[in-house]
Amino acid sequence: SFATAANRAKSAGFDGIEVLIDNRWDTRQADYLQRLSANHDLPICSLHNPFLPYVPGWPSAPVARLKNTVALAQTLGVETIVVHLPLRVGYVILTGFKHRLLLPTLPSPFAQMRRWMTEELAAFETRHKVQLCVENMPARRLLGRRFNPYWWNTVDEWPRFPHLTLDTTHLGTWGLNPLNVYQRTKARVRHVHLSNFNGKEHRRMEDGHLPLADLLHALRDDDYEGLVTVELDPDALEVED
């Protein structure tokens, strides 16, 4: 449960938590999150906009969903919101027999999101006093080859946005060095998703080949004042509920 995760984060000595909003009730109820944060003396430092296509009670349109996230952030007093780059096509998820299959849909529901991010995101940030930190996304593979299903998901295009989330394991899927990418984009990086990559994403710091210590030293040397969030896949923790 979310309460268990918060308890473990506090026990491990973290200064705060990021909340990923999804279809679970406890990730999007302001009163519950405020109470949980107070009970554990663990501030909510960032919210992650939902990337699942269905969140009960929330709009299905990506822009409207993001605005719901911003409203929740303002209620919680959170300034940093993680936003994924939009997909080039929409998708539906089919589940069964312990497998998930993503099927593309047209027209893409992300077309409006793409226009909004291009034309309105910067002004919206200023008006609502939040940081919409746009996250670089991983490579996907088809028949053993990398492909890019996202708009603007290159080191040249991604920094077009005012504020960025630099995700280290996602860079690893492209064979990129996080330190090199940080040096190119640091003027806009306000949030770091920190984890390693060993062929699987979101591994523990020591479990992979990315030079994360070099990145952390650079953040220190630059007097970086943004957030660093350790983002791990649950199976990387090797814990039992």
Side-chain angles (χ1 to χ4, degrees):
S1 71
F2 188 74
T4 300
N7 185 55
R8 286 178 174 155
K10 183 65 177 180
S11 300
F14 285 96
D15 298 320
I17 52 176
E18 177 176 314
V19 177
L20 168 62
I21 302 167
D22 59 20
N23 56 2
R24 293 169 293 181
W25 175 91
D26 56 359
T27 64
R28 50 198 161 80
Q29 302 299 320
D31 291 346
Y32 174 81
L33 291 171
Q34 288 171 325
R35 186 167 64 252
L36 188 70
S37 173
N39 288 346
H40 289 83
D41 189 24
L42 197 66
I44 297 171
C45 299
S46 54
L47 294 184
H48 196 308
N49 189 54
F51 52 81
L52 290 176
Y54 174 67
V55 176
W58 280 40
S60 59
V63 174
R65 260 203 323 264
L66 175 57
K67 290 180 178 180
N68 270 27
T69 300
V70 170
L72 178 61
Q74 291 178 321
T75 300
L76 296 172
V78 174
E79 294 183 357
T80 299
I81 298 167
V82 181
V83 182
H84 278 186
L85 289 168
L87 287 159
R88 295 175 186 272
V89 299
Y91 64 93
V92 293
I93 301 176
L94 302 181
T95 19
F97 302 105
K98 300 183 179 179
H99 294 286
R100 294 199 313 167
L101 178 64
L102 271 63
L103 296 178
T105 61
L106 291 173
S108 171
F110 294 100
Q112 181 196 21
M113 185 69 167
R114 181 189 175 208
R115 288 192 298 271
W116 186 88
M117 291 178 72
T118 301
E119 299 171 4
E120 299 183 43
L121 181 148
F124 182 89
E125 275 193 323
T126 302
R127 189 163 63 251
H128 292 275
K129 297 181 174 60
V130 293
Q131 295 184 138
L132 300 179
C133 296
V134 180
E135 181 177 4
N136 60 289
M137 300 304 290
R140 299 304 183 194
R141 288 192 175 267
L142 181 66
L143 301 177
R145 297 179 66 87
R146 291 187 185 121
F147 75 99
N148 182 7
Y150 301 94
W151 290 104
W152 310 307
N153 196 29
T154 69
V155 178
D156 292 327
E157 294 180 298
W158 164 62
R160 67 173 56 204
F161 299 102
H163 302 108
L164 305 175
T165 291
L166 186 148
D167 188 297
T168 58
T169 200
H170 291 172
L171 294 174
T173 68
W174 290 104
L176 297 173
N177 183 321
L179 176 60
N180 293 343
V181 176
Y182 167 71
Q183 296 291 5
R184 290 180 60 179
T185 60
K186 62 183 179 181
R188 299 193 176 200
V189 172
R190 297 294 182 271
H191 189 204
V192 174
H193 272 170
L194 191 72
S195 61
N196 218 322
F197 178 72
N198 65 3
K200 291 184 176 181
E201 297 178 38
H202 301 297
R203 301 296 100 186
R204 296 192 309 273
M205 304 307 107
E206 74 280 10
D207 186 11
H209 62 262
L210 299 179
L212 298 180
D214 294 344
L215 173 63
L216 292 173
H217 289 154
L219 294 173
R220 178 200 61 197
D221 294 344
D222 289 340
D223 295 323
Y224 173 74
E225 295 182 349
L227 298 175
V228 176
T229 300
V230 176
E231 184 186 39
L232 300 179
D233 194 285
D235 71 2
L237 295 171
E238 298 177 358
V239 296
E240 297 180 1
D241 290 330

